[in-house]
């Protein structure tokens, strides 16, 4: 069985992209499983997130400079999610990544998931189904339990890919989320980070309109859209998860997705 081993966020090889990638590396400096490769001049060329548990779990999540004209997400088993230009009106984010990094310094502990939200304007229902089938055949892909089109890839071992995930541990991250939204007008990248901050603290750091919440998810994370060099082709947001008190949840271990959502095959 072919196995998905890498999901790569590819950035055009420009000074602006290099600056963005460098800021992202600084933001994730406290994440133990984030490792970077630098060019001879010292700039970050590649940032890799390796799932810490279980041993040998894949896919890796990678951010890298590449010879691509626009931002894109590539899977090493074939699927490729490019970005199509879109000049429809939208609300510009007000926070630069450098400023988000400054405010969160020392408070980011883990990466819960990365993801891509695909617009119905450029992705047909048939293309969406084909993408899910391609990923389901090469990775452990699970439905979102409440029925939304928000499937998640969980990192897994070769045995788990052939069978199923039964070992529920903290450290099976970062996950990768795909979202299909017919109303959306542009592709969006989302990066969900575990912080050691409370909801009240994050609200003070990112008051409206810099930070917002989504109905039904407001008790879990605060959303901060960021400025970046590739607007308006793609939008980028950071979902900043509040500090969790007590033991690990069934979300952190992946158990909820596996047992309540079920695998897509």
């Amino acid at each position: 069985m072919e196995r998905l081993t890498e999901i790569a966020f590819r950035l055009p090889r420009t000074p602006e992209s290099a600056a963005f990638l460098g800021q992202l590396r600084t933001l994730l400096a406290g994440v133990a499983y984030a490792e970077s490769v630098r060019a001879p001049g010292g700039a970050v060329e590649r940032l890799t997130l390796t799932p810490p548990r279980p041993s040998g779990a894949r896919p890796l999540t990678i951010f890298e400079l590449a010879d691509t004209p626009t931002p894109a997400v590539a899977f090493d088993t074939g699927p490729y999610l490019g970005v199509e230009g879109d000049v429809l009106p939208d609300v510009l984010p007000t926070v630069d990544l450098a400023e988000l990094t400054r405010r969160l310094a020392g408070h980011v502990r883990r990466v819960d998931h990365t993801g891509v939200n695909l617009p119905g304007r450029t992705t047909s229902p048939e293309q969406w189904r084909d993408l899910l089938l391609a990923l389901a055949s090469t990775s452990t892909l699970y439905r979102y339990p409440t029925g939304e089109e928000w499937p998640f890839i969980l990192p897994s071992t070769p045995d788990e890919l052939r069978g199923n995930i039964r070992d529920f541990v903290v450290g099976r991250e970062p996950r990768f989320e795909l979202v299909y939204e017919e109303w959306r007008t542009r592709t969006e990248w989302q990066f969900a980070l575990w912080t050691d901050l409370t909801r009240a603290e994050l609200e003070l750091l990112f008051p409206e309109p810099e930070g917002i919440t989504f109905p039904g998810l407001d008790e879990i994370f605060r959303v901060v859209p960021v400025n970046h060099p590739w607007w308006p082709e793609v939008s980028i947001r950071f979902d900043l998860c509040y500090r969790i008190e007590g033991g690990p949840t069934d979300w952190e271990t992946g158990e909820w997705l596996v047992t309540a959502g079920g695998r897509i095959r």
Side-chain angles (χ1 to χ4, degrees):
M1 176 184 293
E2 191 175 14
R3 184 188 186 197
L4 175 64
T5 61
E6 292 185 0
I7 299 172
F9 290 83
R10 292 180 173 168
L11 312 179
R13 196 180 297 278
T14 65
E16 294 79 11
S17 295
F20 185 92
L21 187 56
Q23 287 294 337
L24 184 63
R25 180 66 188 100
T26 301
L27 177 64
L28 302 184
V31 176
Y33 48 85
E35 298 182 350
S36 56
V37 174
R38 295 181 179 271
V44 177
E45 282 269 329
R46 181 180 172 102
L47 175 62
T48 300
L49 305 177
T50 302
R53 298 181 68 188
S55 178
R58 294 291 183 271
L60 308 176
T61 298
I62 295 167
F63 303 89
E64 63 183 1
L65 301 180
D67 296 324
T68 177
T70 57
V73 176
F75 305 84
D76 66 352
T77 52
Y80 184 85
L81 302 178
V83 171
E84 296 188 22
D86 190 337
V87 294
L88 296 179
D90 210 333
V91 177
L92 281 168
T94 60
V95 178
D96 293 330
L97 181 57
E99 178 61 16
L100 181 136
T101 298
R102 185 190 69 80
R103 296 187 203 179
L104 289 177
H107 293 295
V108 176
R109 297 291 180 255
R110 292 154 43 204
V111 180
D112 182 79
H113 68 270
T114 66
V116 177
N117 296 15
L118 296 173
R121 181 176 178 271
T122 57
T123 306
S124 69
E126 293 75 21
Q127 289 173 315
W128 171 251
R129 287 194 295 270
D130 289 344
L131 175 62
L132 294 189
L133 287 173
L135 293 176
S137 67
T138 58
S139 68
T140 40
L141 180 68
Y142 292 89
R143 300 175 185 86
Y144 196 75
T146 53
E148 292 88 351
E149 291 279 14
W150 304 344
F152 277 82
I153 293 174
L154 290 179
S156 58
T157 66
D159 286 344
E160 290 171 332
L161 176 60
R162 288 188 292 268
N164 204 0
I165 293 175
R166 296 181 176 83
D167 186 18
F168 303 116
V169 295
V170 175
R172 195 187 291 273
E173 58 192 23
R175 306 164 180 84
F176 179 80
E177 180 181 15
L178 280 164
V179 175
Y180 184 59
E181 295 169 316
E182 293 187 356
W183 56 268
R184 181 172 291 281
T185 60
R186 73 182 75 245
T187 300
E188 180 178 63
W189 289 359
Q190 50 160 308
F191 307 132
L193 310 179
W194 287 108
T195 76
D196 61 3
L197 299 170
T198 65
R199 178 176 181 175
E201 289 170 330
L202 280 167
E203 287 174 346
L204 285 173
L205 278 177
F206 300 99
E208 293 186 6
E210 293 177 335
I212 60 175
T213 56
F214 294 154
L217 299 172
D218 52 312
E219 295 293 335
I220 302 173
F221 59 82
R222 189 160 188 81
V223 179
V224 181
V226 299
N227 293 307
H228 58 80
W230 316 289
W231 183 271
E233 289 85 359
V234 62
S235 59
I236 297 178
R237 76 173 206 243
F238 285 82
D239 297 345
L240 306 178
C241 302
Y242 314 135
R243 183 175 72 219
I244 291 180
E245 305 291 350
T249 67
D250 60 358
W251 173 260
E252 289 180 272
T253 64
E255 183 173 5
W256 188 59
L257 286 170
V258 173
T259 60
R263 188 167 170 181
I264 301 172
R265 295 182 182 270

